[in-house]
mmCIF file of all heavy atoms in Angstrom:
data_model
loop_
_atom_site.group_PDB
_atom_site.id
_atom_site.type_symbol
_atom_site.label_atom_id
_atom_site.label_comp_id
_atom_site.label_asym_id
_atom_site.label_seq_id
_atom_site.Cartn_x
_atom_site.Cartn_y
_atom_site.Cartn_z
ATOM 1 N N GLY B 100 -15.203 2.635 -0.389
ATOM 2 C CA GLY B 100 -13.750 2.529 -0.476
ATOM 3 C C GLY B 100 -13.296 1.993 -1.818
ATOM 4 O O GLY B 100 -13.803 0.989 -2.289
ATOM 5 N N LYS B 101 -12.353 2.674 -2.400
ATOM 6 C CA LYS B 101 -11.858 2.268 -3.711
ATOM 7 C C LYS B 101 -10.441 1.741 -3.582
ATOM 8 O O LYS B 101 -9.585 2.357 -2.954
ATOM 9 C CB LYS B 101 -11.878 3.466 -4.678
ATOM 10 C CG LYS B 101 -13.268 4.004 -4.940
ATOM 11 C CD LYS B 101 -14.165 2.976 -5.567
ATOM 12 C CE LYS B 101 -15.528 3.573 -5.896
ATOM 13 N NZ LYS B 101 -16.469 2.556 -6.380
ATOM 14 N N THR B 102 -10.171 0.639 -4.216
ATOM 15 C CA THR B 102 -8.891 -0.045 -4.097
ATOM 16 C C THR B 102 -7.750 0.825 -4.592
ATOM 17 O O THR B 102 -7.856 1.480 -5.629
ATOM 18 C CB THR B 102 -8.929 -1.339 -4.921
ATOM 19 O OG1 THR B 102 -9.991 -2.148 -4.425
ATOM 20 C CG2 THR B 102 -7.616 -2.095 -4.819
ATOM 21 N N GLN B 103 -6.650 0.804 -3.854
ATOM 22 C CA GLN B 103 -5.407 1.398 -4.327
ATOM 23 C C GLN B 103 -4.647 0.368 -5.139
ATOM 24 O O GLN B 103 -4.550 -0.791 -4.746
ATOM 25 C CB GLN B 103 -4.521 1.779 -3.136
ATOM 26 C CG GLN B 103 -4.874 3.048 -2.455
ATOM 27 C CD GLN B 103 -3.817 3.412 -1.427
ATOM 28 O OE1 GLN B 103 -3.304 2.570 -0.724
ATOM 29 N NE2 GLN B 103 -3.505 4.682 -1.335
ATOM 30 N N TYR B 104 -4.071 0.805 -6.239
ATOM 31 C CA TYR B 104 -3.203 -0.048 -7.053
ATOM 32 C C TYR B 104 -1.796 0.524 -6.998
ATOM 33 O O TYR B 104 -1.605 1.732 -7.179
ATOM 34 C CB TYR B 104 -3.714 -0.125 -8.491
ATOM 35 C CG TYR B 104 -5.046 -0.814 -8.588
ATOM 36 C CD1 TYR B 104 -6.226 -0.087 -8.504
ATOM 37 C CD2 TYR B 104 -5.128 -2.192 -8.707
ATOM 38 C CE1 TYR B 104 -7.462 -0.716 -8.558
ATOM 39 C CE2 TYR B 104 -6.360 -2.833 -8.769
ATOM 40 C CZ TYR B 104 -7.517 -2.087 -8.685
ATOM 41 O OH TYR B 104 -8.731 -2.718 -8.743
ATOM 42 N N PHE B 105 -0.839 -0.359 -6.775
ATOM 43 C CA PHE B 105 0.525 0.070 -6.531
ATOM 44 C C PHE B 105 1.425 -0.137 -7.740
ATOM 45 O O PHE B 105 1.238 -1.069 -8.518
ATOM 46 C CB PHE B 105 1.121 -0.704 -5.350
ATOM 47 C CG PHE B 105 0.633 -0.215 -4.021
ATOM 48 C CD1 PHE B 105 -0.556 -0.689 -3.489
ATOM 49 C CD2 PHE B 105 1.355 0.727 -3.300
ATOM 50 C CE1 PHE B 105 -1.021 -0.240 -2.261
ATOM 51 C CE2 PHE B 105 0.900 1.185 -2.076
ATOM 52 C CZ PHE B 105 -0.281 0.703 -1.564
ATOM 53 N N GLY B 106 2.429 0.715 -7.832
ATOM 54 C CA GLY B 106 3.509 0.512 -8.778
ATOM 55 C C GLY B 106 4.524 -0.477 -8.227
ATOM 56 O O GLY B 106 4.397 -0.953 -7.102
ATOM 57 N N PRO B 107 5.571 -0.772 -9.003
ATOM 58 C CA PRO B 107 6.561 -1.777 -8.601
ATOM 59 C C PRO B 107 7.533 -1.295 -7.532
ATOM 60 O O PRO B 107 8.257 -2.094 -6.946
ATOM 61 C CB PRO B 107 7.306 -2.078 -9.904
ATOM 62 C CG PRO B 107 7.162 -0.836 -10.703
ATOM 63 C CD PRO B 107 5.806 -0.277 -10.364
ATOM 64 N N GLY B 108 7.554 0.006 -7.279
ATOM 65 C CA GLY B 108 8.453 0.539 -6.260
ATOM 66 C C GLY B 108 9.774 1.019 -6.819
ATOM 67 O O GLY B 108 10.253 0.542 -7.853
ATOM 68 N N THR B 109 10.354 1.995 -6.134
ATOM 69 C CA THR B 109 11.702 2.487 -6.425
ATOM 70 C C THR B 109 12.524 2.333 -5.159
ATOM 71 O O THR B 109 12.173 2.900 -4.122
ATOM 72 C CB THR B 109 11.690 3.964 -6.843
ATOM 73 O OG1 THR B 109 10.979 4.110 -8.067
ATOM 74 C CG2 THR B 109 13.126 4.471 -7.019
ATOM 75 N N ARG B 110 13.605 1.573 -5.270
ATOM 76 C CA ARG B 110 14.486 1.434 -4.111
ATOM 77 C C ARG B 110 15.577 2.497 -4.228
ATOM 78 O O ARG B 110 16.386 2.468 -5.159
ATOM 79 C CB ARG B 110 15.099 0.051 -4.057
ATOM 80 C CG ARG B 110 15.822 -0.223 -2.747
ATOM 81 C CD ARG B 110 16.142 -1.693 -2.559
ATOM 82 N NE ARG B 110 14.958 -2.514 -2.332
ATOM 83 C CZ ARG B 110 14.319 -2.617 -1.179
ATOM 84 N NH1 ARG B 110 14.710 -1.928 -0.126
ATOM 85 N NH2 ARG B 110 13.276 -3.411 -1.063
ATOM 86 N N LEU B 111 15.561 3.443 -3.307
ATOM 87 C CA LEU B 111 16.492 4.580 -3.323
ATOM 88 C C LEU B 111 17.556 4.405 -2.259
ATOM 89 O O LEU B 111 17.242 4.158 -1.097
ATOM 90 C CB LEU B 111 15.733 5.891 -3.084
ATOM 91 C CG LEU B 111 16.584 7.149 -2.904
ATOM 92 C CD1 LEU B 111 17.314 7.486 -4.199
ATOM 93 C CD2 LEU B 111 15.729 8.327 -2.443
ATOM 94 N N LEU B 112 18.788 4.542 -2.675
ATOM 95 C CA LEU B 112 19.925 4.529 -1.748
ATOM 96 C C LEU B 112 20.587 5.894 -1.800
ATOM 97 O O LEU B 112 20.986 6.355 -2.877
ATOM 98 C CB LEU B 112 20.920 3.439 -2.135
ATOM 99 C CG LEU B 112 22.237 3.395 -1.361
ATOM 100 C CD1 LEU B 112 21.990 3.131 0.112
ATOM 101 C CD2 LEU B 112 23.177 2.332 -1.933
#
Side-chain angles (χ1 to χ4, degrees):
Chain B
K101 297 299 183 186
T102 301
Q103 280 188 320
Y104 294 90
F105 283 85
T109 296
R110 190 166 291 281
L111 173 66
L112 173 62

